[in-house]
C-alpha cells in the first residue's frame, strides 16, 4: 500500500485499492499508522465523490520531508554521497577522495562524509544510510564478500558503518542499487519487469522480473558483460572469449583504438574527440562496441522479455558514438515482438549511483523482506 | 499447502507448515477440504510424536487415483496423448497421425484420441484436458495466437475442444508445458529458479524465476534459440545472424553435414551413424552445435543464475555427440559461481510432451492464477 503511494502517488484510496488488490477499508486501515507517523498525509478533497465509495476520494500523498536518507557510493578513487528525501530527490551532495583502500580508512572517511552531509535540519531527520559497492555484496548480512576494486573480501561493512555513523546501514551491489532507484523512482515504476544495463569500466546489469530483483541461485545474475556474443572473439579476463565486456568495456575500446590508430599512447579523451571529428577507423571501434552491446541486449531481451531496458553508465557519456549501432543491432537480433521492448539510452551522472544507495535505504525501511 | 504435498509428499503437517510458512493449525484447516474431496489422505501414524506438536505426525499424502488427466501434444504430423494420475504418472498413451492441419479436422481427431484414451475407470474420473502446442499460445484466453507448424492464427482451440470432448481444456505453449512438468514433478521440484532448454527442430527454453514462469512483457521470453552467440555467423530464419538455432537446430546441423561431407543427399540418420563411427569432420559438425548450445546456456545462466538447467528435446537423442562439448563450453563461459548451476542433459521421449500437457491440466485445477 505504502509503496504504491510512494512510487505512484498522490493517489486516491480507491486507486490504491485497485492497484494493490486490497479492499478500500483495508487501505484505510493500512494507511493509518503511516499517517500517524507522518509519512503519509491526506490531501484536501477535490470535491469529487467516487461512485460506490460513499466518501470523497481524498488522495493519499507522501510527505517527502518527513525523513531524509543518506546514500554513498564507494568507488576505487572516491566516496560520493547524497542526502535525499523520501522520494529520493537529492537535497545535498558531497564527495571525498579516497587515499587508501584500508577498511578502517574508508569507514572513517565515510563517517566524515556523512557528518559533512548531515547539517542542521537534515541531521535531525536522517536515520538510514544506504551504501553501494561494486562486486559481490550480501545485502542480508551487510557483508562485502568480494570487491575487486577495493581488494576486499568478507568485510562486515554495514556493522562497521553503523558503529561509526550511528545510522542504520544497508549495503547493496551498486548496479542493483541503481536498479532499485529505477524501480521505485524512475523508468521502472509500474513495470513488472525491466532491466538496467551499465556500461563503463565493467558492463553489468540488474534484472527485475515480476517485481523482484533476480539474484541468482548461486549468487550470480545479470552478468550481461559476460554473455558470449562473438564466438572466437577477444579473450576476456573472466577466462571466456568474445564476452560483451571483452569488446565494449572502456579498456577494450581503448586497446582497440590504440591498435587501429597505431598510437600506443592514445588517450580515451583523444579517441573520443577524433571519432566525433569524423575519424572513420576510430568511429568503427566505437560502433563495434555498440554492436556488441546490442547483441548482449538482444540476448537479454529474447530470454526475459522485459517491458523496458535502461542502458546507462559512465561509458554512455559518449553515447552519441554508440547509440545508433546499439539500436540497429538490437532491432536486427530482437526476436519478434521482443523488439517492442522500450530501449532508453542515457548518460549516468556519478551522483546517480549515490542516489541509488539512498533508494536502497528508503526501500529497506519500508520493505521488510526485499532481499 | 496442497502443491507442497503434491510435489514433495508424503509429508507431515509440521513439515508442510515449515515449508509454506503457515501455522500447523492453518495447515490442518487448509487440508480438510482436500481430504473431504478425496485428493488427500492422512497416512497411518508412524508412532513418532513431534516435539511441541502434541500429536502424532501423521503424514499427508496425495491419493493419485482420485482423478485422471488427459494431456495431448499437437505436432505438425500427429497427436500424442496420455492419461496420467494426479502425480502425472502415465497410465495410458496413444497417438493419431494428422492428415490435415484444418482446425476442424484436428479438433475431431483430438476428440477421437481422447475417446480412445478414456476407457472404463479412466473415463469416470477425468475432467480436465491439457493441450500443448508450439508457438505463441495464450493460456489465459485459450487461444493459439500463432502456430507456424500448423499454419494457425488466432484459433480459439480451448473452447472448440471443450465442446468436442466435454472436458475442461487448458492450452499452453509446449516448452512451457514441459517446464510445468519439471517444476511440479521433475528436476524443478524444490528449486525456486530453473530453466528447461529443448533442442531439436527448433531450440527454445522456459525459465522459472522465484517460482514463476517468465512470460515476457511483450509475450516473448525464453528464446534461447535466438540468442546471438557467433557475431557474423550463419543467417537465421528470424532475420538475425549467428543465433544458436542457426547453428544447432536439426536443419542447421544437417545442412552443414551435407556441406562438409560433399553429399547433398546425406540423411540425418547416416550423419549420426558415421559421426558415431568416428568420421572426424562429421563429429566436428555435432561438436560445433554443442558449442553453440553451450554458449547459449552460458548467456542464460550468467543472466539468470538458475539453480539447475535441464537440456532435453528430440535433438538430444544423439546427445552422446553433443554432451562433452556443451559441458566444456559452458564451463569456460559460465561466470564465477554461476558455473555451479547443475546441468542435466537427457533425451526426451515424445510422450513426455504429452505428459507436460497433462501437468498443465493438473496445475490449472489447483492453482487459480498460474498464468
Amino acid at each position: 500500500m505504502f509503496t504504491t503511494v510512494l512510487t505512484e502517488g498522490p493517489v486516491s484510496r480507491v486507486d490504491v485499492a485497485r492497484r494493490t488488490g486490497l479492499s478500500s477499508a483495508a487501505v484505510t486501515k493500512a494507511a493509518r499508522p503511516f499517517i500517524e507517523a507522518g509519512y503519509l498525509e491526506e490531501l484536501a478533497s477535490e470535491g469529487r465523490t467516487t461512485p460506490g465509495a460513499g466518501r470523497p476520494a481524498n488522495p493519499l500523498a507522501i510527505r517527502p520531508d518527513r525523513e531524509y536518507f543518506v546514500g554513498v557510493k564507494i568507488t576505487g578513487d572516491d566516496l560520493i554521497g547524497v542526502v535525499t528525501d523520501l522520494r529520493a530527490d537529492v537535497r545535498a551532495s558531497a564527495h571525498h577522495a579516497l587515499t587508501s583502500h584500508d577498511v578502517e580508512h574508508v569507514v572513517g572517511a565515510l563517517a566524515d562524509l556523512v557528518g559533512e552531509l548531515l547539517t542542521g535540519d537534515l541531521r535531525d531527520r536522517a536515520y538510514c544510510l544506504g551504501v553501494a559497492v561494486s562486486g559481490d555484496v550480501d545485502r542480508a548480512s551487510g557483508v562485502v564478500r568480494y570487491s575487486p576494486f577495493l581488494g576486499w573480501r568478507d568485510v562486515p561493512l554495514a556493522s562497521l558503518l553503523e558503529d561509526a555513523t550511528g545510522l542504520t546501514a544497508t549495503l547493496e551491489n551498486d548496479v542493483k542499487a541503481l536498479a532499485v532507484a529505477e524501480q521505485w523512482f524512475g523508468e521502472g515504476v509500474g513495470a513488472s519487469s525491466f532491466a538496467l544495463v551499465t556500461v563503463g569500466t565493467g558492463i553489468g546489469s540488474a534484472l527485475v522480473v515480476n517485481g523482484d530483483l533476480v539474484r541468482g541461485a548461486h549468487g550470480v545474475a545479470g552478468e550481461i558483460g559476460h554473455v558470449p556474443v562473438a564466438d572466437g572473439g577477444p579473450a576476456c579476463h573472466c577466462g571466456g572469449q568474445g564476452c560483451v565486456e571483452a569488446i565494449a568495456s572502456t579498456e577494450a575500446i581503448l586497446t582497440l583504438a590504440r591498435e587501429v590508430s597505431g598510437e600506443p599512447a592514445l588517450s580515451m579523451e583523444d579517441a573520443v574527440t577524433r571519432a566525433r571529428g569524423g575519424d572513420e577507423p576510430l568511429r568503427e571501434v566505437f560502433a563495434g562496441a555498440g554492436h556488441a552491446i546490442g547483441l548482449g541486449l538482444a540476448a537479454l531481451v529474447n530470454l526475459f522479455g522485459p517491458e523496458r531496458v535502461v542502458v546507462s553508465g559512465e561509458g554512455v557519456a559518449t553515447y552519441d558514438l554508440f547509440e545508433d549501432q546499439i539500436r540497429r543491432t538490437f532491432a536486427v537480433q530482437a526476436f519478434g515482438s521482443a523488439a517492442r521492448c522500450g530501449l532508453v539510452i542515457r548518460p549516468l551522472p556519478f551522483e546517480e549511483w549515490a542516489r541509488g544507495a539512498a533508494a536502497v535505504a528508503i526501500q529497506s525501511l519500508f520493505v521488510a523482506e526485499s532481499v
Side-chain angles (χ1 to χ4, degrees), chain A residues 168-231:
Chain A
T168 301
T170 308
L171 301 190
E172 184 55 284
N173 164 276
D174 56 353
V175 181
K176 291 186 175 131
L178 270 184
V180 168
E182 289 292 337
Q183 187 185 3
W184 280 43
F185 306 105
E187 294 285 343
V189 171
S192 78
S193 66
F194 77 97
L196 175 78
V197 177
T198 59
V199 177
T201 313
I203 295 178
S205 72
L207 313 171
V208 171
V209 172
N210 297 330
D212 291 319
L213 213 53
V214 177
R215 290 182 179 274
H218 303 285
V220 168
E223 291 290 352
I224 193 175
H226 299 285
V227 164
V229 293
D231 190 18

Side-chain angles (χ1 to χ4, degrees), chain A residues 8-266:
Chain A
E8 306 188 26
V11 57
S12 73
R13 284 188 165 85
V14 176
D15 282 343
V16 175
R18 195 168 37 74
R19 286 180 219 187
T20 57
L22 297 170
S23 70
S24 260
V27 171
T28 298
K29 192 172 165 200
R32 197 172 307 132
F34 288 100
I35 292 173
E36 280 165 11
Y39 290 108
L40 285 184
E41 65 184 341
E42 215 160 354
L43 298 185
S45 163
E46 295 165 27
R48 293 180 290 111
T49 56
T50 306
R55 63 147 88 192
N58 292 12
L60 289 168
I62 286 293
R63 295 183 56 203
D65 288 332
R66 169 61 181 79
E67 185 169 337
Y68 299 112
F69 298 84
V70 185
V72 178
K73 151 93 172 178
I74 309 179
T75 78
D77 302 320
D78 51 8
L79 302 175
I80 300 126
V82 296
V83 180
T84 77
D85 63 21
L86 252 171
R87 295 188 60 95
D89 285 335
V90 173
R91 297 305 184 91
S93 68
H95 72 104
H96 269 196
L98 276 183
T99 53
S100 140
H101 292 167
D102 179 66
V103 174
E104 210 171 313
H105 173 79
V106 173
V107 168
L110 203 151
D112 289 349
L113 181 69
V114 170
E116 192 178 310
L117 281 165
L118 291 179
T119 51
D121 198 33
L122 298 176
R123 161 112 252 161
D124 302 334
R125 276 187 265 160
Y127 315 98
C128 297
L129 166 67
V131 176
V133 189
S134 75
D136 185 355
V137 173
D138 186 23
R139 176 169 172 167
S141 66
V143 170
V144 177
R145 281 210 208 102
Y146 177 51
S147 163
F149 289 120
L150 297 168
W152 290 0
R153 280 194 187 273
D154 298 317
V155 174
L157 189 63
S159 68
L160 294 172
L161 290 173
E162 293 193 345
D163 291 345
T165 64
L167 303 175
T168 301
T170 308
L171 301 190
E172 184 55 284
N173 164 276
D174 56 353
V175 181
K176 291 186 175 131
L178 270 184
V180 168
E182 289 292 337
Q183 187 185 3
W184 280 43
F185 306 105
E187 294 285 343
V189 171
S192 78
S193 66
F194 77 97
L196 175 78
V197 177
T198 59
V199 177
T201 313
I203 295 178
S205 72
L207 313 171
V208 171
V209 172
N210 297 330
D212 291 319
L213 213 53
V214 177
R215 290 182 179 274
H218 303 285
V220 168
E223 291 290 352
I224 193 175
H226 299 285
V227 164
V229 293
D231 190 18
C236 183
H237 63 87
C238 75
Q241 269 197 305
C243 298
V244 174
E245 197 165 298
I247 303 168
S249 71
T250 307
E251 195 192 323
I253 293 174
L254 187 56
T255 302
L256 191 57
R258 286 170 172 173
E259 227 175 274
V260 159
S261 66
E263 298 171 35
L266 183 70

Side-chain angles (χ1 to χ4, degrees), chain A residues 266-286:
Chain A
L266 183 70
S267 72
M268 193 62 174
E269 292 66 34
D270 285 349
V272 168
T273 309
R274 277 155 54 174
R276 281 185 179 149
D279 182 321
E280 263 317 309
L282 285 178
R283 289 187 73 81
E284 271 168 37
V285 169
F286 286 96

